[in-house]
Amino acid sequence: MVKLYLSEIEGAEDKRKFEQIYQNYRQRMFSVAYGILHHKEDAEDAVADACEVILKKLDAIRDVCSDETWGYLMVIVKNKAIKIYNKN
C-alpha cells in the first residue's frame, strides 16, 4: 500500500518523510479508527483516507517523530473515521 502513496510524491525527501510517517504511525492510526468504527475494513478505509490527506499536507509536518505530529495525524484519522461512521 505504501508504494501506491509513494508513487504520488515527487521529491525524495518527501517520499522519505511519508514512508517514515506511514511506518511509525499506521498501526496507531488503525487503532484509533477501529476504536471508533469497530470494523476492520472501515478502519482500513479511514487510514487510507487519512493518508490521502497527509500526502497533501506533508509540508505541515516538520518533525516526524513528535507528539505534535501524532496529534495532527490522530485528528485527521479521527475525522475520517467519524465521517465513515456517520455515513454508515
Side-chain angles (χ1 to χ4, degrees):
M1 184 68 128
V2 72
K3 289 181 182 182
L4 174 68
Y5 297 124
L6 291 175
S7 70
E8 296 182 28
I9 301 173
E10 293 292 322
E13 182 64 27
D14 284 344
K15 284 183 183 200
R16 184 195 59 75
K17 183 192 284 187
F18 182 81
E19 191 167 18
Q20 258 188 316
I21 290 167
Y22 189 82
Q23 295 303 322
N24 290 345
Y25 297 106
R26 93 184 128 98
Q27 194 60 39
R28 291 200 288 177
M29 291 169 60
F30 176 83
S31 294
V32 168
Y34 189 83
I36 293 168
L37 297 164
H38 304 290
H39 188 264
K40 182 182 178 216
E41 288 79 13
D42 287 343
E44 289 171 347
D45 288 346
V47 172
D49 292 349
C51 284
E52 291 293 326
V53 172
I54 294 164
L55 281 173
K56 296 174 186 169
K57 306 279 185 171
L58 272 178
D59 292 341
I61 299 170
R62 285 175 246 162
D63 179 14
V64 171
C65 298
S66 71
D67 290 339
E68 180 183 353
T69 297
W70 169 236
Y72 181 64
L73 300 177
M74 189 173 61
V75 167
I76 294 170
V77 78
K78 267 185 170 179
N79 287 340
K80 293 300 179 179
I82 290 169
K83 191 172 192 175
I84 290 170
Y85 180 85
N86 287 335
K87 188 173 113 182
N88 290 341

